[in-house]
Amino acid sequence: MRELHVSEITENIREMCIEANHFLTRDMDAAMKNAVDTEQSGLGKKILLQLQDNLKIAGEEMIPICQDTGMAVFFIEIGQEVHLTGGDFTEAVNEGVRRGYEEGYLRKSVVRDPLIRENTKDNTPAVIHTEIVPGDQVKITIAPKGFGSENMSRIFMLKPADGIEGVKNAILTAVKDAGPNACPPMVVGVGIGGTFEKCAILAKKALTRSVDSHSEIPYVRELEEEMLEKINRLGIGPGGLGGTTTALAVNINTYPTHIAGLPVAVNICCHVNRHAVRVI
């Protein structure tokens, strides 16, 4: 049994909050640069170059890559051979967020109550998804989620008879309805299966997968490629001003479901698609 003091979780999360809000992951950086080369619209290419300038300035001057530094979302895999010591796990995560957002001068966007709307002033609490896995390590994935794109996300409770064509229509409907509001070029996370809440988590987690990867399931890989092509033919383009680069990737996760259901969630993320991963 490995003992891990929760202060290590706090410190890593503090650093990750700052990292994710200032720098693109390597796969996203490569995808954005490639989009400049492949975009066929002159205006679309200009917008992409402006976004590149923004990212460069953010990295050089340590300014957040987006003013909406999001709500801190975590996927944390805890090895079953790990014994957490020294305090409460959830509080350790929130303390990391608190320190990261304060020390990184990141915008605090969380309100304590959804209707009273009083700001917590430290961007806590975080949204924490935990999973117990084999091993003696803790894997932390942070995905700060701004609400320009989050508000454009959808859940569709389809009938089994709707089949794969119904899934395709749901994805395209969500992207069409989002239009320019999700700050394209976007990354589209899709969850298929499970239950109402499970498909939403699948879609959110899909956004943290590398945009240059594909599902290992053959038909899902084909669906990812087809939907990316169809989305980029919609003409929404960079910044919603027209072009051939509406999405950089479509990442799809699936899960077993009930005989009477076909839940589909579409969680859209903007062009920065912030996330960071660490294993401790």
Side-chain angles (χ1 to χ4, degrees):
M1 181 67 71
R2 175 194 175 199
E3 290 197 352
L4 179 66
H5 198 283
V6 294
S7 62
E8 289 194 45
I9 292 176
T10 295
E11 179 58 19
N12 275 274
I13 286 177
R14 180 192 71 81
E15 295 173 353
M16 293 171 76
C17 287
I18 297 171
E19 174 190 341
N21 275 294
H22 287 86
F23 304 101
L24 288 189
T25 54
R26 289 183 179 179
D27 60 300
M28 282 299 299
D29 183 54
M32 286 291 289
K33 288 174 179 173
N34 181 65
V36 174
D37 296 329
T38 59
E39 174 57 51
Q40 296 176 27
S41 161
L43 179 56
K45 190 181 292 287
K46 183 177 180 180
I47 296 299
L48 288 169
L49 287 170
Q50 289 177 344
L51 293 176
Q52 287 292 314
D53 288 342
N54 176 72
L55 294 168
K56 183 173 182 291
I57 293 168
E60 291 176 349
E61 301 187 17
M62 283 302 288
I63 299 170
I65 51 181
C66 177
Q67 55 82 24
D68 184 352
T69 52
M71 193 166 188
V73 179
F74 291 92
F75 294 96
I76 304 180
E77 297 177 9
I78 304 172
Q80 60 189 21
E81 300 301 322
V82 175
H83 175 212
L84 297 173
T85 64
D88 179 83
F89 167 75
T90 300
E91 178 52 34
V93 172
N94 282 321
E95 181 61 22
V97 172
R98 186 176 294 113
R99 294 181 189 176
Y101 274 74
E102 289 179 353
E103 294 174 23
Y105 301 101
L106 305 174
R107 195 183 83 180
K108 287 73 173 179
S109 304
V110 177
V111 294
R112 194 175 310 280
D113 184 279
L115 295 179
I116 297 175
R117 314 298 293 183
E118 177 191 1
N119 198 296
T120 63
K121 297 182 173 59
D122 59 11
N123 221 59
T124 66
V127 176
I128 309 169
H129 304 287
T130 58
E131 182 180 1
I132 303 298
V133 299
D136 63 355
Q137 295 179 315
V138 175
K139 180 180 179 182
I140 304 172
T141 301
I142 181 175
K145 194 65 163 66
F147 266 61
S149 59
E150 188 75 352
N151 285 337
M152 296 297 104
S153 302
R154 301 278 297 276
I155 289 182
F156 302 84
M157 300 303 291
L158 303 181
K159 301 183 294 294
D162 292 325
I164 195 165
E165 292 305 317
V167 172
K168 293 176 185 178
N169 182 63
I171 296 170
L172 287 175
T173 296
V175 174
K176 287 177 185 176
D177 289 350
N181 297 321
C183 298
M186 60 187 75
V187 177
V188 182
V190 180
I192 306 172
T195 54
F196 176 82
E197 82 284 1
K198 179 65 175 180
C199 70
I201 295 172
L202 290 171
K204 177 62 64 64
K205 193 170 185 179
L207 292 173
T208 67
R209 199 178 84 210
S210 177
V211 293
D212 56 12
S213 68
H214 283 289
S215 171
E216 296 179 355
I217 304 171
Y219 90 85
V220 178
R221 179 190 180 107
E222 292 174 5
L223 183 59
E224 289 174 337
E225 293 172 340
E226 179 184 346
M227 296 315 299
L228 179 60
E229 181 181 344
K230 288 183 175 178
I231 287 170
N232 283 333
R233 290 207 302 258
L234 293 175
I236 297 169
L241 296 173
T244 56
T245 314
T246 296
L248 300 173
V250 177
N251 289 352
I252 300 175
N253 287 337
T254 62
Y255 195 81
T257 192
H258 191 278
I259 56 172
L262 180 55
V264 178
V266 182
N267 196 214
I268 297 173
C269 201
C270 65
H271 68 277
V272 292
N273 190 30
R274 292 163 296 190
H275 56 282
V277 182
R278 289 193 185 185
V279 177
I280 57 177

